[in-house]
Amino acid sequence: MNSVINSTLIFIFTVEFIIGNLGNGFIAMVSCVDWVKRRKISLADQILTALAISRTGLLWLVFLSWYVSVFYPALLTSEKFSRTLTVTWTVANHFSIWLATSLGIFYFLKIANFSNSIFLYLKWRVKKVVSVILLVTLVLLFCNTALINIHVNAWINGYKRNRTCTSNSSSFVQFSNLLLFTNTTFTLIPFTLSLTTFVLLLFSLWKHVKKMQHGAKGPGDANTTVHVKAMQAVIAFLLLYAIFFLSYFMPIWTSDLLEKNMIITFCQTFGMAYPSGHSCVLILQNSKLRQASLSVLWWLRCRLKDREPPGPTPFRESS
């Protein structure tokens, strides 16, 4: 029974991995092709392209982490490998969540309508706002990476001093908990910003609908549609990232319930939904990406039809 469940999880994990690579690769390709054609690229497309690249890196790191944890667990005790994997994962995850947060802030400033002077000041300087946010996050990334390196050094030193099996197991659990706590602390900032963006978009939509009702018009205008689409994108991001982060807490909660390899595979399958699923959400929410994906699907359909062998010719009796 366990082998069947494990095989099913590996299959789902592989499908998510393929879909994520195709989705993020498609986003980057469409943005780059559009950039070459127009010889310019909008800020939204720049963020989308960078986000797709960081998500692709995150996908491969999640896959590598699962592969090593299941098939080569001894590598996790290697100083170079452990440090490289942990720091690289931290960098990829940092850019993944902050670029997604910046994209949400960009659409919020473009779509929302408030008469507040501070909001209007930010709205008129949306490019500078996004650029400053991304530059400030580099300081947070430096602090996060420095703390991660301190934890890795402490764990490696402890591992070298005492090589007993029990101490290594408990030491690794403590090390994992420290990494989770550190990454959670730095993740709370962009997660809170995204949650705040959603609440403000909801409030802006409520004000807009109320204003339209007083004007004796229906709520189904273009502005309302744009608000709803932006809110859907933010909700999808928040839910998927919450699932992604919960997947790293599960091994601690379920360590005594299931086989170790099955726990790792389940958690990685659970977490893979974020970098792969969110790319699909972005494609569906963006009109240019959605249109490009439909064109690709139509082209593939035509190609498959052309490759189909012709049917048998009807037999005719000679007179």
Side-chain angles (χ1 to χ4, degrees), residues 193-210:
L193 278 174
S194 295
L195 191 60
T196 304
T197 299
F198 167 73
V199 173
L200 290 174
L201 274 170
L202 186 64
F203 184 61
S204 176
L205 175 63
W206 175 76
K207 284 183 64 179
H208 175 72
V209 171
K210 193 174 180 182

Side-chain angles (χ1 to χ4, degrees), residues 118-298:
I118 298 175
F119 173 81
L120 293 175
Y121 177 84
L122 297 176
K123 187 181 182 71
W124 295 333
R125 295 163 179 82
V126 61
K127 290 185 178 180
K128 288 185 178 180
V129 170
V130 173
S131 300
V132 169
I133 288 173
L134 292 176
L135 285 173
V136 170
T137 62
L138 295 178
V139 178
L140 296 174
L141 176 61
F142 175 79
C143 296
N144 194 2
T145 307
L147 283 173
I148 291 296
N149 271 311
I150 291 171
H151 296 325
V152 172
N153 289 334
W155 178 64
I156 293 296
N157 291 333
Y159 174 79
K160 288 179 178 178
R161 282 195 304 269
N162 197 339
R163 293 176 178 270
T164 62
C165 183
T166 306
S167 64
N168 285 342
S169 177
S170 61
S171 174
F172 187 76
V173 171
Q174 290 176 0
F175 171 65
S176 301
N177 291 342
L178 281 172
L179 292 182
L180 282 170
F181 177 77
T182 304
N183 285 322
T184 302
T185 303
F186 282 94
T187 300
L188 282 175
I189 302 171
F191 195 82
T192 305
L193 278 174
S194 295
L195 191 60
T196 304
T197 299
F198 167 73
V199 173
L200 290 174
L201 274 170
L202 186 64
F203 184 61
S204 176
L205 175 63
W206 175 76
K207 284 183 64 179
H208 175 72
V209 171
K210 193 174 180 182
K211 183 179 178 181
M212 295 299 291
Q213 286 175 346
H214 281 298
K217 294 181 181 179
D221 64 305
N223 204 344
T224 303
T225 305
V226 170
H227 270 79
V228 171
K229 284 186 175 181
M231 287 169 57
Q232 288 172 347
V234 175
I235 290 172
F237 165 68
L238 291 171
L239 288 176
L240 287 170
Y241 194 80
I243 290 171
F244 176 73
F245 222 79
L246 280 173
S247 68
Y248 286 89
F249 284 97
M250 284 183 186
I252 300 171
W253 299 335
T254 61
S255 57
D256 297 327
L257 299 180
L258 296 168
E259 187 185 343
K260 183 181 178 182
N261 285 354
M262 191 184 297
I263 296 169
I264 294 169
T265 305
F266 176 77
C267 293
Q268 299 291 14
T269 303
F270 202 61
M272 187 70 85
Y274 162 64
S276 60
H278 194 240
S279 63
C280 299
V281 172
L282 291 173
I283 291 171
L284 293 173
Q285 290 291 328
N286 188 291
S287 58
K288 181 175 68 177
L289 293 173
R290 186 171 63 251
Q291 187 62 39
S293 64
L294 291 174
S295 299
V296 170
L297 290 173
W298 179 258

Side-chain angles (χ1 to χ4, degrees), residues 60-80:
W60 280 96
L61 286 169
V62 171
F63 178 82
L64 179 64
S65 176
W66 166 78
Y67 188 81
V68 171
S69 299
V70 173
F71 297 104
Y72 301 100
L75 267 178
L76 295 175
T77 59
S78 169
E79 180 178 358
K80 287 184 179 179

